[in-house]
């Protein structure tokens, strides 16, 4: 499968959705030119990463959320996708008809039909105002926890799962999709390079980001394609290192800069089969009777009582 990731450089407060869509169109065309049948765009791709700013929910929803998808600003993307016969993943802030706010991503097939929708489940950051911090990370304030689970869809000749940003750091995300037979997981992210909670060395942001993709790709026998929105947005820097990772856990393509940049590979979906049929043959090797804590507990607790040693 021709698979591409379209990394977006900075989107500033002053950038219109229309201007961003023009950049996405450019990269969609380049992805198609490089053989892609599916191109992955970032999380919250249409606007700046607004959870970095303190404002009330109403203002955020008025300025940064989409109340319909597609809508006039993004329609050109759907039109071009239909013309080029290329599918795409797009992350955006969704305000539902019922007025519920979500950090959402859609999976659009090569006929420009929305075939899947995912709402971010792992919301990082905080909901209180931290005036001392260099910037906020208010996803817990602006978004509801996703209410659609981790979905997997048969489309474009593959079984594809979606997640968003912080989800990629949690093993449960991929395992839940792999247990539905996912062959490919696509995701977008916006990852600040500075940690507001402790003085974390900057390089660790990229290290842990790649580790999360590589480890989980390997442990679930899936391809992972991750698209950053990155660079300095109005002075607030976010990491790049968009990447396509094989089921071997190896990085097969990654971006070199922090601007708009397309990476593309011919992903052999059979590669994952080797791992899912052998070392990670879930049906043969998993022992859920011993995994109870994983869904039984939220936070870490006391060690479980152990059977007597003489047993
Ligand atoms: N951003 C970051 C991410 O998970 C973060 C937040 C960074 C959490 C580093 C923990 C460590 O990549 C989003 N939008 O989730």
């Amino acid at each position: 499968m021709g698979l591409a990731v379209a990394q977006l450089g900075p989107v500033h407060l002053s950038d219109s959705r229309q201007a961003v869509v023009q950049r996405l169109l450019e990269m969609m065309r380049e992805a198609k030119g490089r053989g892609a049948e599916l191109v992955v765009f970032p999380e919250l791709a249409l606007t700046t990463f607004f959870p970095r700013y303190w404002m009330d929910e109403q203002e955020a929803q008025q300025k940064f959320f989409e109340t319909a998808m597609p809508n006039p600003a993004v329609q050109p993307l759907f039109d071009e996708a239909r013309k080029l016969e290329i599918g795409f993943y797009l992350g955006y802030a969704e305000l539902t008809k019922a007025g519920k706010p979500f950090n959402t991503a859609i999976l659009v097939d090569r006929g420009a039909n929305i075939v899947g929708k995912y709402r971010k489940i792992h919301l990082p950051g905080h909901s209180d105002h931290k005036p001392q911090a260099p910037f906020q990370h208010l996803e817990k304030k602006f978004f509801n926890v996703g209410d659609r689970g981790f979905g997997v869809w048969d489309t474009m000749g593959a079984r594809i799962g979606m997640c968003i940003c912080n989800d990629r750091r949690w093993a449960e995300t991929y395992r839940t999709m792999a247990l539905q037979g996912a062959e490919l997981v696509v995701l977008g992210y916006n990852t600040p390079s500075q940690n507001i909670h402790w003085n974390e060395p900057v390089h660790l942001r990229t290290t842990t980001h790649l580790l999360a993709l590589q480890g989980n790709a390997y442990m679930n026998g899936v391809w992972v394609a991750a698209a950053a929105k990155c660079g300095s947005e109005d002075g607030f820097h976010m990491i790049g290192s968009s990447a396509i990772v094989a089921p071997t856990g190896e990085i097969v393509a990654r971006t070199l800069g922090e601007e708009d940049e397309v990476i593309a590979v011919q992903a052999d979906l059979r590669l994952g089969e080797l791992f899912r049929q052998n070392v990670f043959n879930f049906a043969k090797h998993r022992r859920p009777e011993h995994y109870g804590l994983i869904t039984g507990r939220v936070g870490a607790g006391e060690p479980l009582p152990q059977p007597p040693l003489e047993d």
Side-chain angles (χ1 to χ4, degrees), residues 43 49 120 124 137 139 165-166 168-169 190-192 205:
E43 169 191 31
F49 186 69
K120 187 172 181 178
H137 197 117
E139 294 193 60
C165 203
N166 196 254
R168 77 187 184 287
R169 299 177 188 278
N190 288 220
T191 301
R205 286 295 171 125

Side-chain angles (χ1 to χ4, degrees), residues 224-278:
V224 177
K229 174 152 67 69
C230 57
S232 179
E233 295 191 329
D234 296 300
F236 298 96
H237 185 264
M238 299 192 292
I239 66 168
S241 292
S242 303
I244 299 176
V245 177
T248 58
E250 293 167 301
I251 297 170
V252 291
R254 66 179 287 185
T255 52
L256 295 172
E258 295 182 342
E259 294 296 333
D260 296 5
E261 184 175 345
V262 174
I263 51 177
V265 304
Q266 283 302 323
D268 179 354
L269 297 178
R270 291 167 303 175
L271 195 52
E273 204 51 43
L274 297 175
F275 293 86
R276 294 193 301 274
Q277 287 310 317
N278 296 289

Side-chain angles (χ1 to χ4, degrees), residues 99-117:
K100 292 184 182 169
F102 292 101
N103 187 339
T104 296
I106 50 173
L107 191 57
V108 181
D109 73 9
R110 301 175 62 190
N113 309 294
I114 298 177
V115 294
K117 175 182 278 192

Side-chain angles (χ1 to χ4, degrees), residues 51-88:
R52 69 164 67 93
Y53 301 111
W54 177 259
M55 68 191 99
D56 62 37
E57 285 90 331
Q58 286 65 33
E59 181 184 355
Q61 290 170 13
Q62 189 273 323
K63 279 186 184 166
F64 300 106
F65 282 67
E66 312 304 322
T67 54
M69 184 52 71
N71 59 50
V74 296
Q75 189 57 49
L77 205 56
F78 283 75
D79 297 343
E80 187 74 2
R82 187 176 297 108
K83 200 176 92 190
L84 297 176
E85 294 185 356
I86 183 169
F88 63 94

